[in-house]
Amino acid sequence: MRILHVASEATGLVKTGGLADVAAGLARAQRDAGDDVRLLMPAYRGCAELADATVRHPLGDPLGGGPTRLLEGRLPGTDVPVWLVDAPTLYDRDGGPYLDPHGNDYPDNPLRFALLGRVAAMLSTAGPALGWAPEVVHAHDWQASIAPATLHWWGGVRPGTVTTVHNLKFQGRFSPEVVSQVGLPAAAYALEGAEAYGTFSFLKAGLFYSDRITTVSPTYAEEIQSETGGEGLHGLLRSRSNRLHGLLNGIDEGAWDPRSDSDLHAAFGPRSLGPRAANKRALQRHFGLDEERGVPLVGLVSRLSDQKGIDLLLAAIPQLLRSPLQLVVLGSGDPLLEEALRDLARQHPTRVGVNIGYDEALSHQVFAGSDLFVVPSRFEPCGLTQMYAMRYGALPVVRNTGGLADTVTDVSAGGCGFTFEAVDADALREAMHRALEVYADGDRWTRLQLQAMQRSFGWGNAAGGYRDVYSAAIADASST
Ligand code: ADP
């Protein structure tokens, strides 16, 4: 199948969160399974060099944002072809994909991401000129949502379209005037269209106009159809529930393998767990903690935001620290949470280590060196870190929501994790206490670690699910 993924980030080129891992991992898995996959992304500063992009096709100035070209390259470390939308006035900047160096949204984000979607639509219809046209366009999150909307409005013969919601909280909502800037007719700004509560919503455009919708876990697919989880779009999602599919994310088991991970201090695996201890020691040293082997070490790698329940951890931790326990945190985000975590580390310098920042290699080391890994999210579409943790032998303590509920089973039900229900510090503390009790039984702990490490989280299952959804989308497109 010829598949065009449209995404604002992909691991190997630029990553701010799980979307990047999923876009790259899914594309790679589909390519390995024999599909003809391409990935379309903006050419942010530095990406063209990373992708080794040399071939160039002029695209004119599609939305009046400046001259635009298409660059062709490869996703680093893979043989997945990448097309980069090269519009220097929009993408060649200091800062991240969405935010300037001061942490503010770029004011022209509507135009920047409309162009991404617009080019996807152009390639889908003018594709034969490039010798390739997709049968299905797979748009990821709001940043890609103009692609299915544009294809709908252009009409005619078109590929099937699929929009995946990686996080419904982020919808890309702007003032109504952007409708013309993003290249859609004024009629698209309507209740039966991209209008949401007096704003133009990129994501709603994707959800409304796509042939099919997916989200990243079965439980989240249910939750977003309810008023509490629907972020204002539950009505639309419920009305399209026969087009909405919850497909659990996989992880790239090649990139995330403790037997061959070059970021680790010592390789280990289910058949050779012993060297894992060296990773714990190295992690303790890195964070300046007491290098005690028997003290349970809790890890956290996360965006620091309200969603992730960091406040619950902050509320639970003082009492937990009355027992032997160490905590290491790697994350960045909300300045208040950053400061509260720094404070905690200052109060307990030999027991709590905090690194405010983004560090891919260190994140691998946290998974490999922690005994427990905590994900206390208020909501979690899928979540990847709990899967990385299990694969690296750190047992997860998670709130029972979204993809966490679909991937972590409590020890009391035969699983290898510790789950809690209520969004409060007491519930988290209770789960942590249960985990610490089990930790004290070394043999049982090792058995649970092995159980966790032997679980399969690869893309195999999801790749089949996506194939079915694509077939349905292609059939839908040909019947409209
Ligand atoms: P989300 O996409 O909501 O942030 P996910 O769990 O789906 O959450 O994915 C987060 C990804 O980003 C994981 O690969 C995680 O390891 C990584 N990550 C998050 N924060 C950091 C950080 N500070 N340093 C390195 N990697 C991080």
Side-chain angles (χ1 to χ4, degrees):
M1 207 177 270
R2 292 189 309 280
I3 305 158
L4 180 65
H5 286 283
V6 188
S8 55
E9 47 184 285
T11 297
L13 293 173
V14 64
K15 170 173 169 179
T16 72
L19 167 62
D21 285 356
V22 173
L26 177 59
R28 189 174 177 177
Q30 290 169 333
R31 174 109 180 147
D32 290 347
D35 289 317
D36 186 357
V37 186
R38 301 192 181 198
L39 181 67
L40 182 73
M41 242 190 63
Y44 306 112
R45 182 170 291 175
C47 285
E49 291 73 30
L50 281 173
D52 205 9
T54 46
V55 182
R56 296 170 159 77
H57 307 280
L59 293 174
D61 184 357
L63 290 175
T68 303
R69 299 180 304 180
L70 193 68
L71 310 182
E72 263 184 63
R74 302 256 153 201
L75 190 62
T78 77
D79 58 358
V80 176
V82 176
W83 272 335
L84 296 171
V85 183
D86 183 32
T89 42
L90 298 181
Y91 303 133
D92 185 13
R93 299 180 176 176
D94 287 339
Y98 319 117
L99 308 177
D100 69 18
H102 308 291
N104 301 312
D105 287 325
Y106 294 116
D108 56 356
N109 273 346
L111 181 57
R112 294 174 76 238
F113 293 110
L115 182 66
L116 176 67
R118 177 78 169 205
V119 171
M122 289 165 67
L123 298 176
S124 304
T125 45
L130 295 171
W132 192 88
E135 293 165 276
V136 64
V137 172
H138 187 161
H140 295 268
D141 271 350
W142 73 263
Q143 292 90 347
S145 286
I146 294 303
T150 303
L151 285 165
H152 167 89
W153 281 99
W154 281 355
V157 177
R158 63 170 179 83
T161 53
V162 176
T163 293
T164 293
V165 181
H166 293 265
N167 192 333
L168 195 60
K169 183 102 184 159
F170 304 113
Q171 297 182 8
R173 290 173 62 187
F174 303 97
S175 68
E177 301 80 68
V178 305
V179 67
S180 56
Q181 197 185 20
V182 304
L184 293 177
Y189 182 72
L191 185 59
E192 298 281 299
E195 189 271 341
Y197 305 95
T199 63
F200 178 92
S201 164
F202 272 55
L203 187 63
K204 187 172 173 228
L207 301 179
F208 188 84
Y209 291 117
S210 289
D211 297 311
R212 297 278 157 163
I213 302 166
T214 73
T215 190
V216 290
S217 70
T219 297
Y220 193 60
E222 291 300 318
E223 289 171 350
I224 59 177
Q225 294 179 60
S226 72
E227 197 166 345
T228 41
E231 300 286 349
L233 295 179
H234 49 283
L236 170 60
L237 290 164
R238 219 179 288 159
S239 74
R240 301 207 71 201
S241 62
N242 60 343
R243 311 270 153 156
L244 168 61
H245 312 265
L247 301 175
L248 191 66
N249 278 340
I251 62 172
D252 186 335
E253 291 187 324
W256 293 92
D257 184 345
R259 291 168 300 186
S260 56
D261 187 332
S262 57
D263 290 322
L264 304 192
H265 293 272
F268 64 96
R271 285 160 197 263
S272 56
L273 204 49
R276 195 175 191 278
N279 291 298
K280 178 169 176 178
R281 208 163 43 243
L283 192 61
Q284 288 170 321
R285 188 167 310 155
H286 179 92
F287 279 96
L289 309 185
D290 288 335
E291 289 177 41
E292 288 180 49
R293 189 180 179 136
V295 174
L297 174 54
V298 181
L300 172 76
V301 177
S302 182
R303 287 188 290 116
L304 302 177
S305 72
D306 186 58
Q307 174 195 338
K308 300 292 181 177
I310 310 299
D311 53 322
L312 304 185
L313 181 65
L314 282 163
I317 203 76
Q319 195 183 331
L320 287 168
L321 283 170
R322 289 185 201 152
S323 315
L325 177 105
Q326 295 178 337
L327 172 69
V328 298
V329 177
L330 169 62
S332 62
D334 180 340
L336 290 176
L337 293 170
E338 290 181 352
E339 196 42 41
L341 286 163
R342 281 200 191 96
D343 254 358
L344 189 69
R346 276 193 288 269
Q347 286 164 33
H348 307 275
T350 59
R351 300 181 65 199
V352 177
V354 171
N355 184 322
I356 299 298
Y358 191 93
D359 187 332
E360 189 73 27
L362 183 57
S363 76
H364 288 235
Q365 291 158 15
V366 174
F367 296 120
S370 306
D371 299 300
L372 285 161
F373 191 87
V374 62
V375 193
S377 303
R378 287 192 159 70
F379 71 93
E380 194 57 75
C382 178
L384 298 173
T385 56
Q386 78 281 8
M387 293 192 264
Y388 298 146
M390 284 187 267
R391 191 152 164 79
Y392 281 58
L395 300 190
V397 179
V398 306
R399 201 170 95 70
N400 194 27
T401 182
L404 299 172
D406 292 332
T407 52
V408 179
T409 306
D410 196 87
V411 288
S412 62
C416 53
F418 304 87
T419 64
F420 62 98
E421 297 289 335
V423 183
D424 69 41
D426 286 339
L428 168 58
R429 210 161 25 222
E430 187 271 335
M432 287 289 296
H433 277 305
R434 285 194 298 119
L436 296 176
E437 268 170 34
V438 178
Y439 182 80
D441 178 349
D443 289 343
R444 185 170 178 211
W445 190 262
T446 305
R447 280 198 304 278
L448 290 170
Q449 278 184 303
L450 294 178
Q451 182 181 332
M453 293 173 75
Q454 281 160 345
R455 289 193 56 186
S456 166
F457 293 115
W459 274 106
N461 297 335
Y466 278 111
R467 180 177 290 271
D468 294 343
V469 172
Y470 293 163
S471 299
I474 292 166
D476 293 347
S478 64
S479 67
T480 50

